[in-house]
């Protein structure tokens, strides 16, 4: 089972308009209300790709109800912990360029953390845990350590797609199965500015040397890089019209996991992941299986 944990879910209010003027009254042409947050996006995509998933994390208020209801209507199992704070709404403005306004997350308390640890303690070596998205400042570092210790003890396959200090802290205790930084996030993780693909590969190899099994570096329309102990690959991204890049990175993670969980073949998983990221970038909502499969032949993989 693929469990996703989203500490700070959101309703993504996604508005399309032909021209966005700062400081003016703007009227939108089309709007959508998608349940969001990186882990929730992963649950939605892996479910569409045919894998079994449970979406966990913290939700509250009317927006929390909306998210849970939406996911359940899509057939996704949920196991959220309720907060007294209302789940945030993130505004995504799609005009000649993409502008995002992400809200702050809930204030979490000790009881919330304990409930989440209790859920995580039930996972086994047959399970995946995807920790994705921003981690709230109210989360004590002892909690992150406890979470990592449980995953290490129960041999859970841990996928981490978050920025900030949490990943470094997790790595002191357990080695994630997969991480998927973009170039900027990789730079933050290793404390360097990355100027080229060669540099990105070099840092990814260092992380693999420290024990992470698979590092995928996403590069938007330039495609992605993949490094493991035995392979270094580059993939081109399919060409198409960018409609909404929100969730493209999450779709890459989802495609990789959904494919790897079937046959454990990393190159196939990488190809499937890149096609999933692009399929999402080319439409308003997240990708569906048929969109991904129609793009697979356009992903060209080169060994580096
Ligand atoms: N304009 C684009 N054209 C084609 N493919 C794209 C485009 N943008 C993104 N993708 C695909 O999606 C993948 C992930 O995109 P990106 O590198 O933007 O992730 P990210 O920075 O994590 O994004 P986000 O945080 O918004 O999900 C890329 O590797 C690529 O396959
Ligand atoms: O504020 P965070 O947690 O870093 O990012 C949240 C977010 O931008 O990420 C997803 C796309 O990856 C969106 O669904 C969501 O609004």
């Amino acid at each position: 089972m693929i469990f996703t944990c989203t500490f700070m879910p959101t309703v993504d209010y996604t508005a399309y308009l032909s021209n966005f003027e700062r400081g003016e009254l703007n009227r939108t042409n089309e709007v959508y209300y998608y349940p969001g947050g990186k882990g929730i996006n992963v649950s939605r995509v892996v479910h569409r790709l045919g894998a079994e998933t449970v979406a966990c994390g913290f939700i509250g208020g009317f927006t929390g109800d909306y998210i849970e209801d939406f996911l359940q209507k899509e057939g996704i199992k949920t196991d959220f912990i309720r907060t007294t704070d209302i789940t945030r709404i993130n505004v995504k403005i799609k005009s000649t360029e993409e502008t995002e306004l992400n809200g702050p997350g809930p204030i979490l308390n000790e009881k919330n953390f304990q409930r989440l640890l209790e859920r995580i303690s039930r996972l086994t070596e047959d399970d995946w845990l995807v920790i994705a998205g921003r981690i709230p400042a109210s989360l004590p570092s002892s909690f992150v350590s406890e979470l990592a210790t449980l995953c290490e003890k129960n041999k859970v396959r841990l996928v981490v797609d978050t920025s900030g200090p949490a990943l470094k802290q997790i790595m002191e205790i357990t080695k994630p199965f997969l991480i998927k930084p973009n170039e900027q996030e990789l730079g933050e993780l290793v404390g360097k500015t990355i100027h080229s693909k060669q540099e990105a590969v070099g840092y990814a190899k260092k992380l693999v040397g420290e024990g992470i099994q698979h590092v995928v570096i996403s590069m938007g329309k330039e495609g992605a890089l993949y490094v493991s102990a035995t392979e270094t690959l580059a993939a081109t991204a399919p060409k198409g019209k960018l409609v909404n890049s929100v969730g493209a990175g999450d779709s890459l993670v989802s495609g990789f996991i959904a494919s790897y969980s079937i046959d454990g073949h990393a190159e196939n998983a990488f190809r499937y992941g890149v096609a999933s990221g692009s399929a999402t970038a080319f439409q308003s909502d997240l990708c569906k299986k048929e969109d991904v499969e129609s793009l697979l032949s356009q992903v060209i993989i080169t060994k580096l």
Side-chain angles (χ1 to χ4, degrees):
M1 179 69 80
I2 300 166
F3 288 84
T4 63
C5 176
T6 313
F7 286 94
M8 293 170 56
T10 146
V11 172
D12 286 343
Y13 172 77
T14 308
Y16 289 82
L17 59 171
S18 29
N19 197 26
F20 175 64
E21 302 269 5
R22 271 178 63 198
E24 297 295 332
L25 168 66
N26 294 273
R27 294 209 185 266
T28 53
N29 301 331
E30 247 178 89
V31 297
Y32 298 92
Y33 304 85
Y34 298 120
K38 298 186 195 308
I40 286 176
N41 291 340
V42 171
S43 273
R44 290 188 70 211
V45 176
V46 294
H47 176 72
R48 288 170 177 205
L49 298 179
E52 273 207 87
T53 181
V54 179
C56 313
F58 301 100
I59 55 170
F62 70 102
T63 39
D65 292 342
Y66 178 79
I67 290 172
E68 186 153 46
D69 191 47
F70 195 113
L71 294 179
Q72 289 178 355
K73 281 192 180 129
E74 286 199 336
I76 297 166
K77 295 195 189 82
T78 60
D79 190 16
F80 288 108
I81 294 150
R82 290 274 160 177
T83 57
T84 43
D85 285 352
I86 294 172
T87 292
R88 63 185 171 154
I89 296 175
N90 287 351
V91 179
K92 314 288 180 180
I93 301 168
K94 308 284 154 190
S95 184
T96 45
E97 49 188 8
E98 298 185 306
T99 308
E100 298 183 61
L101 190 60
N102 283 10
I107 308 278
L108 301 172
N109 58 37
E110 184 60 30
K111 217 162 142 191
N112 299 140
F113 304 140
Q114 288 313 326
R115 287 202 175 134
L116 185 62
L117 286 177
E118 191 271 317
R119 281 162 173 71
I120 291 173
S121 69
R122 287 187 240 139
L123 306 188
T124 70
E125 60 187 328
D126 296 328
D127 295 318
W128 300 68
L129 175 63
V130 182
I131 305 277
R134 207 170 162 75
I135 296 200
S138 56
L139 198 80
S141 58
S142 58
F143 169 83
V144 176
S145 306
E146 275 185 67
L147 180 155
T149 307
L150 280 174
C151 291
E152 174 69 19
K153 183 169 132 241
N154 296 334
K155 301 191 174 67
V156 177
R157 270 190 183 163
L158 184 60
V159 176
V160 186
D161 187 12
T162 178
S163 40
L167 176 57
K168 281 191 189 155
Q169 225 189 313
I170 289 173
M171 281 184 58
E172 282 164 19
I173 297 172
T174 190
K175 302 302 172 205
F177 176 80
L178 167 70
I179 63 167
K180 191 231 54 75
N182 56 31
E183 275 181 305
Q184 192 195 332
E185 289 160 348
L186 178 66
E188 282 164 21
L189 182 62
V190 297
K192 307 274 180 205
T193 307
I194 293 177
H195 304 98
S196 65
K197 287 183 187 172
Q198 286 77 1
E199 278 185 17
V201 165
Y203 292 121
K205 283 188 173 166
K206 194 164 169 284
L207 293 170
V208 167
E210 288 168 21
I212 298 180
Q213 293 182 50
H214 308 271
V215 178
V216 175
I217 303 156
S218 66
M219 302 180 304
K221 64 177 172 9
E222 300 298 315
L225 300 167
Y226 166 82
V227 178
S228 71
T230 52
E231 280 175 300
T232 302
L233 308 171
T236 59
K239 302 244 174 304
K241 185 172 177 287
L242 173 67
V243 175
N244 180 9
S245 73
V246 171
D250 311 330
S251 302
L252 200 177
V253 171
S254 311
F256 188 99
I257 301 175
S259 172
Y260 195 96
S261 63
I262 294 172
D263 60 11
H265 191 289
E267 183 176 326
N268 288 349
F270 181 47
R271 183 191 304 281
Y272 212 86
V274 172
S276 304
S278 300
T280 284
F282 299 157
Q283 59 189 290
S284 177
D285 193 7
L286 302 171
C287 59
K288 293 182 286 305
K289 191 171 183 171
E290 58 269 27
D291 311 322
V292 177
E293 295 191 343
S294 72
L295 293 180
L296 280 176
S297 62
Q298 290 185 50
V299 179
I300 312 296
I301 304 223
T302 325
K303 292 196 193 311
L304 298 180

